[in-house]
Amino acid sequence: MSRMIDYGKLMHAAMRRLIQDVLMGVQKDGLPGAHHFFITFDTTHPEATMADWLRDRYPAEMTVVVQHWYDNLNVTDEGFGITLNFGDAPENLYIPYDAIQTFVDPSVEFGLRFEQQSDEDDEDEDDDDLLDEDGSLDDEDMEDACEDRHGDAPRTEAEVVSLDSFRK
């Protein structure tokens, strides 16, 4: 098969570097202004560490808030460690960047969501079957592929819809 650029994988790597850069700034200088983070991560990730009682309470995923009180923020190339307060119980967590599902800073309406790669990989494999040996796809193959995926539905032009009737 021809080799292709995996833009999704590259984008996820860039988004994880952005999170690392933001957290490194917070580690060095603290949270500026009203900034705070909601970070949802996969608690089943093999490198995620947390107290057993937290893992029992959040067996699949957990959202933590980094805002008023946090301690021991330690940012590395693979993830970050942090101590957060759960009730009156400070707990150490280690969250690998690969385990992060969402990263949100609501103070500036910024958010990142990491989509699962497995479904996209399956679709990419189907698309590889359509490519010629040189990696090209001629117009006839493209039309056949679209017909296979979307049936014989007629193509229609885009339609502009006014939303005025929905406004208050």
Side-chain angles (χ1 to χ4, degrees):
M1 283 294 138
S2 64
R3 196 169 67 95
M4 306 215 28
I5 298 171
D6 188 346
Y7 287 105
K9 186 176 181 179
L10 291 170
M11 180 62 76
H12 280 194
M15 289 168 33
R16 286 185 175 99
R17 277 192 305 276
L18 181 144
I19 293 170
Q20 179 183 6
D21 290 348
V22 167
L23 292 175
M24 287 181 89
V26 171
Q27 176 181 293
K28 181 179 176 217
D29 301 319
L31 277 169
H35 288 278
H36 58 287
F37 312 128
F38 295 132
I39 303 170
T40 302
F41 67 100
D42 177 2
T43 58
T44 67
H45 189 285
E47 295 173 22
T49 59
M50 67 188 69
D52 290 339
W53 72 269
L54 283 173
R55 193 174 304 277
D56 291 342
R57 188 166 178 186
Y58 302 99
E61 70 179 25
M62 178 181 192
T63 300
V64 295
V65 180
V66 179
Q67 187 172 14
H68 299 296
W69 190 94
Y70 63 92
D71 200 12
N72 303 321
L73 180 59
N74 182 26
V75 181
T76 69
D77 288 340
E78 292 80 33
F80 65 97
I82 191 167
T83 302
L84 294 173
N85 200 9
F86 295 90
D88 283 327
E91 294 289 348
N92 296 319
L93 302 171
Y94 178 76
I95 303 170
Y97 300 122
D98 287 344
I100 295 175
Q101 297 169 341
T102 62
F103 177 91
V104 177
D105 182 345
S107 70
V108 292
E109 298 182 14
F110 175 81
L112 299 173
R113 177 183 306 274
F114 294 90
E115 301 298 329
Q116 299 299 322
Q117 291 293 311
S118 60
D119 294 338
E120 293 173 359
D121 291 344
D122 292 343
E123 287 178 17
D124 290 344
E125 288 174 16
D126 293 341
D127 291 342
D128 288 345
D129 295 339
L130 303 172
L131 300 177
D132 294 336
E133 288 179 14
D134 64 354
S136 65
L137 182 69
D138 64 28
D139 290 340
E140 188 175 312
D141 290 337
M142 180 66 83
E143 287 175 18
D144 290 344
C146 289
E147 204 170 283
D148 289 346
R149 289 193 178 184
H150 305 291
D152 293 329
R155 292 184 183 184
T156 59
E157 294 298 317
E159 186 177 326
V160 177
V161 178
S162 173
L163 298 178
D164 290 338
S165 62
F166 298 104
R167 293 192 177 125
K168 291 183 179 180

